Amino acid sequence: MGPDTGIDWIVFEWDERTLGLGPVRSSLPDTRIWNHVLGPWLDPGPAPGVSICRLVVEGRVAVLARTRTGGSDSRRTIRVHAYLGGPAAHPSAMPNVRQTLALAPGWETLVPADSAPLDLAQLLAPYSGAAAELDRQAQAEEQALAPIVAEVLRGRAQPLSVASQGPAIAQLWGLVDVLDLVLGRYPGTFSTYESDDLKPGAEVIFLRQWPGLSSRASHRRRVDLREPDEGNAYNEIAHLVARAYADGELEGLVKRLRITDGMPMEERIELLGTARVPRETTWARPVSPSPAGEPASAGHPTPLSPANFPARSGAQDPPAPRTPISSGSMPLPKALPEPYSFAARDVFEVFMEELAEATSAGQVEDILQDVRDWAAARRPADVRSRLPALIPELERLLPDYQVNAVLRGLLDQGPPIEPARFSWTHRQWLILAVMLTIVLAFQVAEIFLR
């Protein structure tokens, strides 16, 4: 049974001989390479529960269902079931993302007593029922989905870390659904629970809390679902699509906006910006704290309280205004009219609004990086036409000596300069080789003439 029709599997448990996690049973005759490449992902973190990974290793889809039961020595209570699926290069490599999220937590009960591979059809048989239940759970995660979607819109294809105490599997299921409809692509590799975000190879990682400074990955964007949301343009679009998803209307919204397959991301975002934000939209994120001293289970986390979600119909009090951020000489965010429309605004105008609201050097740099990405995909004439509006903001936010450097960077979006390659045919090396040959010839002649 090959990887296209069957699933190889490996069971990892604590090995007293090596004092570490190792393979104890498998459908493969040799597990050494998999023990090496999957090793960094075997330990899911300190909280008891079930967590899921979908990775691409050795050219194949690899799904890890990791269980920790807790105890005095938690390392000895970890059991990992690894499932090795089809070639990752295949456009519909299985198990796919949705199959993994819906079914992988229950696959351990299907591992046979012998070493036969698992039948793919048997693994996927209960998918319809499991997917319907996850649809219901994910639609209830509207307020958690919105800030994650907003950070994806800001960061484009950058890896993402999410600090969440909610149900990570349901939140990731909803994120995949929303991004699939809105952007036409979604993360294919992920982990629903980690203790740090340093490991490469997963586009989205969920954590219960941020790790220490030494365990933070600098290459990942971060979104913290435990902190208050900000009312900027990306967040407004994200709340719009999250509300439509929760109401079962996102597909209709995408069709009305005429977002089509193959459309560039910037155009999709501009079209989403023309939609109206519902009047009752609120920016508060629900928080689901675990009891003091007791970590939430990665598999069955504390559910979000329905009381944290805004009503979708009927009269209600308008949301309380956000507390202004003290910013010294920085201008405060402009009040948004209700209902607010993004009509007649493009992505560059969104950047300008975000710069007006920025309150730290880090925020300014993140926004300017987005501007650089935007400029790289635009004609030079288009970029030059926008600079007069950008220059005053740069002069307000940056030291004088940095302004021209930023402007030059926006105007010079050519391919990166490759370092000069070493070549023996370069003139200086040929001269040196000739001189060394002459010296060597004199030494040989001197030896023979003695």
Side-chain angles (χ1 to χ4, degrees):
M1 189 178 294
D4 292 326
T5 58
I7 301 289
D8 286 311
W9 52 270
I10 309 171
V11 178
F12 293 89
E13 290 182 350
W14 182 261
D15 190 337
E16 293 291 348
R17 296 171 301 173
T18 61
L19 297 179
L21 288 172
V24 295
R25 294 179 55 220
S26 178
S27 64
L28 297 170
D30 188 350
T31 60
R32 285 176 294 181
I33 182 63
W34 296 104
N35 189 33
H36 173 69
V37 297
L38 296 177
W41 294 94
L42 296 180
D43 189 340
V50 179
S51 58
I52 304 298
C53 286
R54 185 180 188 270
L55 309 168
V56 174
V57 291
E58 296 298 310
R60 291 176 69 175
V61 172
V63 173
L64 305 183
R66 308 171 302 181
T67 305
R68 185 194 290 275
T69 58
S72 57
D73 187 348
S74 60
R75 296 174 301 172
R76 288 174 165 80
T77 67
I78 299 174
R79 173 178 288 186
V80 180
H81 288 77
Y83 307 95
L84 310 176
H90 195 281
S92 57
M94 293 189 177
N96 64 30
V97 170
R98 290 185 174 90
Q99 293 161 353
T100 297
L101 290 170
L103 302 174
W107 281 345
E108 63 179 87
T109 61
L110 302 178
V111 171
D114 57 15
S115 58
L118 292 165
D119 181 64
L120 184 61
Q122 181 185 8
L123 290 180
L124 304 185
Y127 176 76
S128 296
E133 175 60 21
L134 269 179
D135 282 339
R136 184 189 64 78
Q137 295 178 20
Q139 287 177 322
E141 293 295 315
E142 172 193 338
Q143 298 262 338
L145 281 175
I148 308 176
V149 172
E151 199 60 33
V152 173
L153 296 179
R154 275 185 55 84
R156 307 302 192 264
Q158 287 182 273
L160 186 66
S161 298
V162 181
S164 169
Q165 293 177 341
I169 289 178
Q171 290 173 3
L172 191 50
W173 179 274
L175 180 68
V176 167
D177 277 351
V178 169
L179 297 183
D180 191 15
L181 283 169
V182 170
L183 300 183
R185 59 180 178 82
Y186 52 84
T189 55
F190 56 82
S191 173
T192 63
Y193 176 53
E194 294 293 328
S195 56
D196 62 58
D197 54 0
L198 291 174
K199 303 183 187 75
E203 296 167 74
V204 178
I205 286 179
F206 280 74
L207 307 96
R208 292 290 164 196
Q209 59 186 3
W210 296 133
L213 291 175
S214 62
S215 300
R216 294 184 179 182
S218 59
H219 67 287
R220 290 184 175 273
R221 299 185 73 92
R222 289 188 157 192
V223 56
D224 195 335
L225 302 186
R226 306 164 302 171
E227 294 183 353
D229 205 353
E230 297 178 1
N232 59 42
Y234 285 121
N235 285 346
E236 290 161 2
I237 294 175
H239 276 275
L240 169 70
V241 298
R243 170 57 55 86
Y245 175 70
D247 290 341
E249 299 174 354
L250 183 56
E251 186 173 359
L253 173 66
V254 169
K255 289 180 179 178
R256 287 196 302 274
L257 295 176
R258 297 184 179 179
I259 296 175
T260 59
D261 293 342
M263 181 177 288
M265 181 183 294
E266 296 288 356
E267 293 183 25
R268 291 170 179 262
I269 295 175
E270 289 182 13
L271 287 174
L272 288 168
T274 65
R276 290 184 179 272
V277 177
R279 182 180 295 273
E280 66 270 22
T281 296
T282 179
W283 307 108
R285 293 181 189 171
V287 179
S288 301
S290 301
E294 181 182 343
S297 167
H300 304 283
T302 304
L304 298 179
S305 170
N308 290 323
F309 292 91
R312 295 201 178 100
S313 62
Q316 67 175 50
D317 294 333
R322 293 188 295 274
T323 303
I325 300 173
S326 175
S327 57
S329 61
M330 304 286 285
L332 296 176
K334 304 177 181 65
L336 298 177
E338 291 191 5
Y340 183 66
S341 172
F342 286 86
R345 296 203 315 162
D346 61 12
V347 174
F348 186 82
E349 291 172 346
V350 172
F351 296 147
M352 295 298 297
E353 179 179 293
E354 290 190 332
L355 285 172
E357 297 177 1
T359 58
S360 70
Q363 290 177 346
V364 171
E365 178 53 37
D366 286 344
I367 297 167
L368 289 179
Q369 183 56 55
D370 291 340
V371 176
R372 295 184 190 100
D373 294 341
W374 169 87
R378 291 294 187 274
R379 297 188 303 272
D382 188 17
V383 176
R384 283 194 297 271
S385 69
R386 304 302 185 99
L387 293 186
L390 181 62
I391 290 173
E393 287 297 313
L394 295 180
E395 292 176 340
R396 180 179 63 82
L397 295 168
L398 300 176
D400 290 343
Y401 68 90
Q402 290 185 8
V403 173
N404 286 338
V406 171
L407 296 175
R408 284 196 302 269
L410 294 175
L411 290 172
D412 184 14
Q413 291 287 343
I417 300 175
E418 296 184 0
R421 297 182 178 179
F422 178 83
S423 174
W424 285 107
T425 60
H426 194 278
R427 180 180 177 183
Q428 63 182 15
W429 298 115
L430 292 175
I431 295 174
L432 180 60
V434 171
M435 294 177 63
L436 289 176
T437 302
I438 293 173
V439 172
L440 181 60
F442 277 116
Q443 291 179 341
V444 171
E446 184 178 0
I447 291 172
F448 282 101
L449 291 175
R450 287 180 179 177

